[in-house]
Amino acid sequence: MKRFEGKTVVVTGGNKGIGLAVAERFAREGANIVVGAIETDCDKAAEQLKQHGGRAVAIVCDVTRKPDVVALYDAADLHFGGVDVSIQNAGIITIAKIEDLTEKDWDATIAVNTKGVFLCCQEAIVRMRKSGKGGRLINTASGQARDGFIFTPHYAASKFGVVGLTQSLAKEVAQENITVNAICPGIINTDMWDYNDRVWGKLLGDYRPGELMASWVENIPMKRAGTGEDVAGLVAFLASDDATYITGQTINVDGGLIMS
Ligand code: NDP
């Protein structure tokens, strides 16, 4: 019997990067997957997941819009009879000096990274409560929820916010067999880092593509960037029966980059 056989897992931003790696891990371990993403071709991700032997559906869902979020969890109910694990992974980043940081960037970042997590947690908890079966919520924060980096005050604020809401919700649902935890990936090699490397690299000095990331990786005790699979391992653990007594925690997955 596979570890997550019969369980249904919702993953926002599950069409690529960390979210897709997480969804693939659960698919390989037998779960039904509901992938939410704003790209209209997120069906491709669902097809890819089915190749791992699991059942998967894709729903176009902008996590900043309540009706989209409701539709995402409605799909979990309709196709698989409810949600057992909800992974709030969707996120965006922009990088700018304070004088160039627009209100639009501030609002969009908080809307996706913090409000989006709130809306999904709210919808998942309401449904988990109704089912009486409990469940697991895993919220993606960042190393920037530990230590704000330069030129990303809005992103750091959005991710510190994820930790606060995780702790508060964990206390509210602790006696209902629902756990709520946050994860802090460090430097994970995804499309997001192509942007980071280019824009931070330009603001911090005369870095050529790839050079900034390479220099930051030098500060990681394990001397390598992380992969989506590295993050998926932690997420799967937090969703598993080995983590029933863990809630309200924020756990780094970063090769030792931040040790607090
Ligand atoms: P990617 O840019 O590769 O993927 C981001 C995902 O979020 C995409 O699937 C994207 O969907 C989705 N998304 C963006 N906006 C919305 C929205 N409004 N509604 C729904 N989905 C949305 O990033 P990563 O995989 O690297 O990052 C995943 C998470 O991990 C993010 O929360 C990020 O902040 C966090 N993180 C990443 C780190 C890294 O080094 N990569 C480090 C620390 C944290 P679409 O493709 O349709 O736009």
Side-chain angles (χ1 to χ4, degrees):
M1 170 107 173
K2 292 180 176 174
R3 188 159 58 151
F4 296 108
E5 198 97 52
K7 300 282 186 196
T8 298
V9 179
V10 173
V11 188
T12 66
N15 61 324
K16 67 181 198 192
I18 294 172
L20 181 57
V22 167
E24 283 181 321
R25 164 63 73 95
F26 280 102
R28 280 201 303 275
E29 297 209 37
N32 308 315
I33 314 287
V34 182
V35 175
I38 44 178
E39 269 189 15
T40 43
D41 69 349
C42 63
D43 285 345
K44 263 196 274 173
E47 288 312 311
Q48 200 171 321
L49 293 171
K50 284 181 197 159
Q51 285 166 18
H52 295 288
R55 296 196 294 163
V57 292
I59 305 293
V60 175
C61 169
D62 178 340
V63 293
T64 68
R65 297 188 66 249
K66 176 86 178 171
D68 283 18
V69 171
V70 171
L72 184 67
Y73 293 89
D74 279 350
D77 285 346
L78 181 72
H79 292 275
F80 305 124
V83 55
D84 299 290
V85 179
S86 186
I87 300 158
Q88 287 60 245
N89 162 79
I92 56 171
I93 190 169
T94 57
I95 299 164
K97 285 187 175 174
I98 190 65
E99 60 270 34
D100 299 324
L101 182 56
T102 62
E103 258 186 274
K104 195 171 160 212
D105 276 347
W106 175 276
D107 290 344
T109 304
I110 300 291
V112 178
N113 296 2
T114 319
K115 178 183 164 187
V117 173
F118 151 65
L119 288 176
C120 293
C121 286
Q122 182 181 50
E123 204 52 39
I125 287 172
V126 166
R127 290 164 197 251
M128 286 170 181
R129 271 186 172 154
K130 207 180 275 176
S131 80
K133 290 192 297 178
R136 301 295 167 84
L137 280 79
I138 297 145
N139 298 330
T140 303
S142 164
Q144 291 216 47
R146 303 293 202 184
D147 191 11
F149 291 9
I150 190 168
F151 303 139
T152 49
H154 52 323
Y155 183 80
S158 75
K159 295 297 191 176
F160 268 82
V162 168
V163 173
L165 84 82
T166 297
Q167 293 174 355
S168 176
L169 290 176
K171 286 175 182 163
E172 182 173 340
V173 298
Q175 292 178 51
E176 297 172 78
N177 192 25
I178 301 172
T179 66
V180 191
N181 290 292
I183 61 165
C184 292
I187 297 172
I188 312 296
N189 203 352
T190 66
D191 287 356
M192 189 175 266
W193 252 94
D194 292 344
Y195 168 82
N196 292 355
D197 190 67
R198 199 164 22 87
V199 183
W200 256 320
K202 207 163 162 195
L203 288 172
L204 287 170
D206 203 13
Y207 290 94
R208 276 177 296 183
E211 282 183 355
L212 180 75
M213 185 172 177
S215 75
W216 285 13
V217 164
E218 271 305 299
N219 295 325
I220 299 175
M222 288 189 176
K223 301 284 182 213
R224 69 169 177 87
T227 63
E229 259 299 297
D230 290 322
V231 180
L234 172 60
V235 175
F237 165 70
L238 288 171
S240 77
D241 289 344
D242 290 326
T244 48
Y245 199 52
I246 299 174
T247 198
Q249 303 305 306
T250 300
I251 302 177
N252 299 341
V253 49
D254 64 1
L257 180 62
I258 296 173
M259 297 199 182
S260 57

